[in-house]
Amino acid sequence: MSENPVLAEVTRGDLVESVHRGSAVVATADGKVIAGWGDVNRLIYPRSSNKILQAIPLVETGAADRYNLDQHELALACASHMGETIHVERVRAWLGRVGLSETDLECGSHWPYSEASTIALAKSGSVPTPAHNNCSGKHSGFVTTAVHMGDDVRGYVGYDHPVQKRVTQTMSEMLDVDLFNQPWGTDGCGIPTIALPLVNLATAMARCADPSKLSPKRKDAVERLVAAKAAAPVMVSGTGDFTTEIMVVAGGSVVCKIGAEGMFTAILRKKGLGLALKVDDGTARGAEAALGAILKSVGALSDEEMEGLSQQLTRAIRNRAGLQVGELRGAPIGKVAGF
Amino acid sequence: MSENPVLAEVTRGDLVESVHRGSAVVATADGKVIAGWGDVNRLIYPRSSNKILQAIPLVETGAADRYNLDQHELALACASHMGETIHVERVRAWLGRVGLSETDLECGSHWPYSEASTIALAKSGSVPTPAHNNCSGKHSGFVTTAVHMGDDVRGYVGYDHPVQKRVTQTMSEMLDVDLFNQPWGTDGCGIPTIALPLVNLATAMARCADPSKLSPKRKDAVERLVAAKAAAPVMVSGTGDFTTEIMVVAGGSVVCKIGAEGMFTAILRKKGLGLALKVDDGTARGAEAALGAILKSVGALSDEEMEGLSQQLTRAIRNRAGLQVGELRGAPIGKVAGF
């Protein structure tokens, strides 16, 4: 793999202790690259950073309207949530309206990403169920679409299941990539994650920021999903999380999503641009700090928003006693001209 | 920072999804470099990878003998343990013999690294105490030395406290680096972590593998600590952990230690060599896979040991349902000539 630039760094005392390299790209809805760092054409697995694209069929098929999904639930369909009560209860209620339950979800179970929720769950003598899985909202969207379209719900995670084929077709259109002919792997929650060039992911995100050239139906679906994420950031991630805080402080002008293995995407609504990045080492902290660096570099945040996000953009690293001993921050990549 | 080579990689489906770059070096007790990858002279913080060096004063001062520390306790003094019952109870018993308790430890508290231990602790309605801190064994060593030497125990984590000065002096001798004049930061457990060139850390580990040129007292202390780690690998880390398994399967011929931010050291006893590595991004998985690659490269493991460690050296990455979807493995760095 070719060398990509340092996008984020971790300090301790006076030294930079660790660095995160990666590639990042900001593009227009026409696929024009506005700014790029490193190899922007590299094949990446988008992982969960593309959840908003995977949720389009839920709205476009009419499934969301049939089951009266509100903005909190549409946001959950695009979420990697922290397994807090607000997420888990909402997933259960939603599935109940569709006539299903979490036993129909094929995402598997894991302890909540939220440490507080894990401790509370363990204290209560319970164990995690599929509703606690960070992907349970996305999977609820899949099974809701399956029921609405008359598919057999079972096996909906499979590459050849109508639910996934619908997602793959929709994403191919949004990405300008024929995903049916791309290499793929299996994501943590069991569904396919299909390889694509990073720049195309930025283009698809730009089409979420500026859907003016999409078909009216696609435009409506995308606008509703973007608006839902902007309206309910805590449903997309969780209390106090980086992704949530970016969306809260940016007042919905930046709608973003982390993905496993160092992925991050952002929809820059005010600018009509899309952003995609991957840190080579696959770390969440690297992806988060890199996102901050790129957002600053392309002027996606106002001075006031940067001030409000100062604790997220430069994060204190503390020892067990709470003393600050270093920081996680975006690398000094400078300001891109023209922004 | 200059580019270091890829030492470990993560696959999913047919693609390499993420990579871990780093530098690594194998050296003799005389400081001769036998093999090196990337920038072996870079300044690193050793973090917990140097715990065996930090434990030398515990033995050398006579404190360990005065309080009848056995091999399990000496191994704990060199440990980043997982907070399992075997670790926590042993720390409490040890401190009791010294006339202290875990409230004297200044390392802070955190939930155990072992998920099972965290869940069990939460289920019991308890919260973590300093004994659960992964560094509680090392800190028990510090306070034991302080009591033995008549130091005021309070503040023993401070850079200028006699306990730390003793550690810094001993490490300076083992490393051939005057640590008193090096930049430093504060480690997660509150003590100083002092910057030094990676190659010197390999040299110090080689002196643990081949202590023949150390003073008789130093040689005895080092030999006892190495033997303790080899005899009680589970006390150095925890049940099923990578570090523990390497030491178990290698039958004590490889005595190793991970450190935060991508550090790893190994004492290659059969070869009389020392190994030190850091992955640039600071990930534990990267450091573990890189260690496997280097151990293979320099022939530190027999074919039989490699077979016994196959699940550690190439680790399955599974989705939430347990299906293998990729792997974490050392990069193909080849065999170093002469081994």
Side-chain angles (χ1 to χ4, degrees):
Chain A
M1 180 184 283
S2 65
E3 185 185 19
N4 283 318
V6 172
L7 296 180
E9 53 193 27
V10 178
T11 70
R12 181 173 301 264
D14 290 332
L15 295 192
V16 171
E17 186 172 20
S18 299
V19 296
H20 301 285
R21 292 178 183 274
S23 48
V25 54
V26 176
T28 69
D30 294 328
K32 189 182 157 206
V33 172
I34 297 290
W37 295 261
D39 180 5
V40 304
N41 295 304
R42 67 195 285 195
L43 276 190
I44 54 89
Y45 289 126
R47 309 295 300 273
S48 289
S49 76
N50 69 3
K51 276 182 174 168
I52 192 166
L53 305 177
Q54 294 172 313
I56 291 172
L58 172 67
V59 181
E60 221 172 46
T61 60
D65 283 339
R66 176 161 163 194
Y67 294 103
N68 298 311
L69 300 193
D70 66 9
Q71 284 193 313
H72 280 65
E73 288 152 345
L74 289 181
L76 263 180
C78 306
S80 297
H81 66 71
M82 287 168 60
E84 298 172 89
T85 305
I86 47 168
H87 307 117
V88 175
E89 289 188 349
R90 183 62 79 127
V91 161
R92 288 176 178 154
W94 166 3
L95 289 171
R97 294 207 307 280
V98 183
L100 297 172
S101 79
E102 59 182 302
T103 60
D104 294 298
L105 302 185
E106 299 177 0
C107 49
S109 305
H110 62 84
W111 290 93
Y113 285 173
S114 155
E115 186 179 82
S117 296
T118 285
I119 300 306
L121 191 64
K123 259 180 117 160
S124 75
S126 302
V127 293
T129 67
H132 295 92
N133 186 304
N134 75 91
C135 296
S136 67
K138 178 177 73 175
H139 282 248
S140 296
F142 289 152
V143 296
T144 299
T145 308
V147 169
H148 176 67
M149 298 299 286
D151 304 328
D152 184 356
V153 171
R154 284 170 303 176
Y156 72 86
V157 296
Y159 183 90
D160 290 320
H161 189 280
V163 162
Q164 296 307 326
K165 279 188 169 166
R166 219 174 274 123
V167 168
T168 304
Q169 178 59 37
T170 304
M171 285 186 55
S172 295
E173 293 160 12
M174 291 293 286
L175 290 157
D176 290 338
V177 179
D178 177 9
L179 292 186
F180 291 104
N181 287 304
Q182 290 290 103
W184 60 283
T186 302
D187 213 327
C189 64
I191 68 163
T193 186
I194 304 178
L196 55 98
L198 186 69
V199 64
N200 293 70
L201 188 57
T203 300
M205 292 301 144
R207 290 170 180 173
C208 295
D210 171 15
S212 58
K213 293 184 184 164
L214 301 177
S215 72
K217 204 170 167 185
R218 174 72 42 91
K219 179 170 179 284
D220 174 66
V222 164
E223 283 177 341
R224 285 174 64 185
L225 290 166
V226 173
K229 288 184 69 175
V234 77
M235 301 307 279
V236 179
S237 178
T239 307
D241 187 57
F242 178 87
T243 299
T244 300
E245 291 304 309
I246 292 280
M247 292 197 280
V248 167
V249 175
S253 68
V254 173
V255 168
C256 58
K257 182 73 190 66
I258 199 167
E261 292 297 334
M263 289 298 310
F264 227 122
T265 61
I267 297 162
L268 310 181
R269 295 170 83 190
K270 273 192 297 201
K271 294 179 179 285
L273 298 174
L275 186 167
L277 69 84
K278 176 177 165 75
V279 291
D280 302 343
D281 52 62
T283 54
R285 75 173 186 187
E288 292 175 349
L291 181 75
I294 307 294
L295 290 178
K296 279 198 267 187
S297 183
V298 299
L301 299 169
S302 68
D303 289 348
E304 198 181 3
E305 288 163 353
M306 293 226 280
E307 180 61 30
L309 287 165
S310 58
Q311 287 180 46
Q312 281 74 34
L313 298 176
T314 299
R315 201 179 311 172
I317 293 182
R318 299 182 187 282
N319 67 7
R320 301 296 185 182
L323 176 77
Q324 180 168 355
V325 295
E327 63 187 33
L328 166 67
R329 65 191 183 200
I333 56 175
K335 193 102 174 121
V336 171
F339 284 92
Chain B
M1 180 184 285
S2 66
E3 184 186 18
N4 283 317
V6 172
L7 296 179
E9 53 192 27
V10 178
T11 71
R12 179 172 302 261
D14 289 333
L15 296 192
V16 171
E17 187 173 18
S18 299
V19 296
H20 300 286
R21 292 178 183 274
S23 48
V25 54
V26 177
T28 68
D30 294 329
K32 190 182 156 205
V33 172
I34 298 290
W37 295 261
D39 181 5
V40 305
N41 295 305
R42 68 195 284 194
L43 275 190
I44 55 88
Y45 288 126
R47 309 294 300 272
S48 289
S49 76
N50 69 3
K51 276 182 175 168
I52 192 167
L53 305 177
Q54 295 172 313
I56 292 173
L58 172 66
V59 181
E60 221 171 47
T61 59
D65 283 339
R66 174 159 164 197
Y67 294 104
N68 297 310
L69 300 193
D70 66 10
Q71 284 193 313
H72 280 64
E73 289 153 346
L74 288 181
L76 262 181
C78 306
S80 296
H81 66 71
M82 287 168 60
E84 299 173 88
T85 304
I86 47 169
H87 307 116
V88 174
E89 290 187 350
R90 183 62 79 124
V91 161
R92 288 175 178 154
W94 165 5
L95 290 171
R97 294 207 306 281
V98 183
L100 298 171
S101 80
E102 58 183 303
T103 60
D104 293 298
L105 302 184
E106 298 176 1
C107 50
S109 304
H110 62 84
W111 290 94
Y113 284 173
S114 155
E115 185 179 83
S117 296
T118 286
I119 301 305
L121 190 65
K123 259 180 118 161
S124 76
S126 302
V127 293
T129 66
H132 294 92
N133 185 305
N134 75 91
C135 297
S136 68
K138 178 176 75 174
H139 282 249
S140 295
F142 289 153
V143 296
T144 300
T145 308
V147 169
H148 176 68
M149 298 299 286
D151 304 329
D152 185 355
V153 171
R154 284 171 302 176
Y156 71 87
V157 297
Y159 183 90
D160 290 321
H161 189 279
V163 162
Q164 297 306 328
K165 280 189 169 166
R166 220 174 274 124
V167 168
T168 303
Q169 177 60 36
T170 303
M171 285 187 56
S172 295
E173 293 161 13
M174 290 294 286
L175 290 157
D176 290 338
V177 179
D178 177 10
L179 293 185
F180 290 103
N181 287 304
Q182 290 289 105
W184 60 282
T186 302
D187 213 327
C189 65
I191 68 163
T193 185
I194 304 178
L196 54 98
L198 186 69
V199 63
N200 293 70
L201 188 56
T203 300
M205 292 301 144
R207 289 170 180 172
C208 295
D210 170 15
S212 58
K213 292 184 185 165
L214 301 176
S215 71
K217 203 169 166 185
R218 175 72 42 92
K219 180 170 178 284
D220 173 66
V222 164
E223 283 177 341
R224 285 174 65 183
L225 290 166
V226 173
K229 287 184 69 175
V234 77
M235 301 307 279
V236 178
S237 177
T239 307
D241 187 58
F242 178 87
T243 299
T244 300
E245 291 305 308
I246 293 279
M247 292 197 278
V248 167
V249 175
S253 68
V254 173
V255 168
C256 57
K257 183 72 190 68
I258 200 167
E261 292 297 334
M263 289 298 309
F264 226 123
T265 60
I267 297 162
L268 310 182
R269 294 171 84 191
K270 274 193 296 203
K271 294 180 179 285
L273 298 173
L275 185 167
L277 69 84
K278 177 177 166 74
V279 290
D280 301 344
D281 52 62
T283 54
R285 74 172 187 188
E288 291 176 349
L291 181 75
I294 307 295
L295 290 177
K296 279 198 265 188
S297 183
V298 301
L301 299 169
S302 68
D303 290 348
E304 198 183 3
E305 287 163 354
M306 291 226 281
E307 180 61 29
L309 287 166
S310 59
Q311 287 179 46
Q312 281 74 34
L313 297 177
T314 300
R315 200 180 311 173
I317 292 181
R318 299 181 188 282
N319 66 8
R320 301 294 185 184
L323 176 77
Q324 180 168 355
V325 295
E327 62 186 33
L328 167 66
R329 64 191 184 201
I333 56 174
K335 192 104 173 121
V336 172
F339 282 92

